[in-house]
Amino acid sequence: MSYTNSVSMDDGNMVFNLMPNADFGYKVHGDPFSTNTRRVLAVLLEKGISYEPITVDLKTGEHKRESYLSLNPFGQVPVFEDGNIKLCESRAITQYIAYVHSSRGTQLLNLQSHKTMATLTMWMEFEAHQFDPFASVLTWEQVIKPIYGLETDQTVVEENETGLENVLNVYEKRLQESRFLACNTFTLVDLHHLPNIQYLLGTPTKKLFENRPKVRTWVDDITGREAWKLACDHDKSWFGK
């Protein structure tokens, strides 16, 4: 599969036509349904960059075997390979790609303004340390556990929904001042939220996003991006493997 980012205008609005075709020899070891793997796929697709997907079978515990532990000693997906560079941790990978390819595709960082970049970095930290702890547990309980035949713990769900509500209240206030979380353009901050949000929209937790008008609009904007829809399409983003 090969795509590039081209831009056209539709009723005065900028529209990105995704056609990733730049090949830098990147490899992505992961699972296309993994939230962390999808986070990396999203930035590659926003940048219009090809990659070789290498499936790591989480159900059989492949990520805990010695062959994979040689790539990531913590046994987690994804692992990103750029020649002799091997990177773990999805957020570190997305920042690497966004920085190396800052002039290509969607501008996901603001390297021209130190102040905006500082704000962007702060909100990436908020996502990782405030939003993600609650959202990841809710995704695990309501989406992942049923896949493995495990029972959802409703007490855990309720506790984490309370925590997520508090975070989204902060987001609602922030989004009254800015179209996106860090600034008025889509950045890595927003992209990092996408994997858990997408799964939670298919659960009762969806109400927490829908009950906040600014958050609801923001969610609609970011989940509607063509690169993200492509990242969620297993046949297209993972070549049907």
Side-chain angles (χ1 to χ4, degrees):
M1 181 178 68
S2 184
Y3 295 85
T4 65
N5 271 334
S6 66
V7 182
S8 60
M9 300 299 292
D10 180 12
D11 294 330
N13 296 315
M14 188 174 290
V15 177
F16 283 90
N17 303 305
L18 292 174
M19 301 169 285
N21 73 345
D23 188 354
F24 298 94
Y26 295 153
K27 296 179 181 180
V28 179
H29 301 255
D31 182 310
F33 298 102
S34 148
T35 53
N36 291 328
T37 302
R38 281 188 177 179
R39 190 173 286 116
V40 171
L41 298 184
V43 72
L44 286 166
L45 292 165
E46 287 283 356
K47 290 294 184 180
I49 297 172
S50 296
Y51 53 90
E52 178 187 348
I54 301 172
T55 302
V56 179
D57 193 334
L58 303 180
K59 287 187 176 181
T60 63
E62 184 179 351
H63 56 306
K64 300 300 182 182
R65 296 175 190 161
E66 191 58 38
S67 57
Y68 187 77
L69 292 175
S70 66
L71 295 173
N72 183 350
F74 293 103
Q76 298 173 325
V77 295
V79 168
F80 178 79
E81 288 192 81
D82 176 10
N84 62 354
I85 298 175
K86 295 178 176 62
L87 297 177
C88 310
E89 295 297 329
S90 63
R91 293 167 183 82
I93 296 168
T94 61
Q95 290 179 67
Y96 174 78
I97 296 167
Y99 180 78
V100 171
H101 300 284
S102 59
S103 63
R104 178 181 177 83
T106 306
Q107 302 305 298
L108 298 171
L109 298 172
N110 189 327
L111 303 176
Q112 288 72 45
S113 168
H114 293 161
K115 291 182 179 180
T116 302
M117 192 63 212
T119 301
L120 196 153
T121 302
M122 177 181 72
W123 278 95
M124 284 195 284
E125 291 294 308
F126 287 159
E127 184 276 329
H129 302 295
Q130 302 296 330
F131 176 86
D132 188 73
F134 299 118
S136 287
V137 171
L138 288 166
T139 298
W140 166 253
E141 287 291 338
Q142 298 176 100
V143 180
I144 308 302
K145 283 178 74 172
I147 293 175
Y148 286 87
L150 302 174
E151 186 176 349
T152 296
D153 187 328
Q154 291 300 329
T155 299
V156 172
V157 169
E158 291 172 9
E159 290 173 351
N160 282 274
E161 282 192 336
T162 298
L164 183 60
E165 279 195 282
N166 292 332
V167 174
L168 293 179
N169 286 340
V170 174
Y171 283 21
E172 181 71 11
K173 184 176 180 180
R174 169 61 177 170
L175 291 166
Q176 291 173 6
E177 306 166 356
S178 178
R179 180 181 174 190
F180 296 97
L181 286 176
C183 54
N184 282 316
T185 59
F186 179 81
T187 68
L188 279 186
V189 173
D190 310 290
L191 184 149
H192 284 178
H193 285 80
L194 277 166
N196 280 311
I197 286 178
Q198 189 67 56
Y199 276 127
L200 292 177
L201 291 178
T203 74
T205 301
K206 177 181 181 180
K207 65 182 180 292
L208 303 187
F209 301 100
E210 292 187 331
N211 290 344
R212 293 163 174 81
K214 294 296 184 180
V215 168
R216 183 177 65 245
T217 299
W218 170 69
V219 167
D220 288 344
D221 278 350
I222 64 176
T223 57
R225 295 184 68 83
E226 290 303 315
W228 177 244
K229 288 189 282 187
L230 189 58
C232 294
D233 188 322
H234 169 262
D235 288 333
K236 293 179 180 178
S237 70
W238 211 251
F239 312 105
K241 292 184 178 181

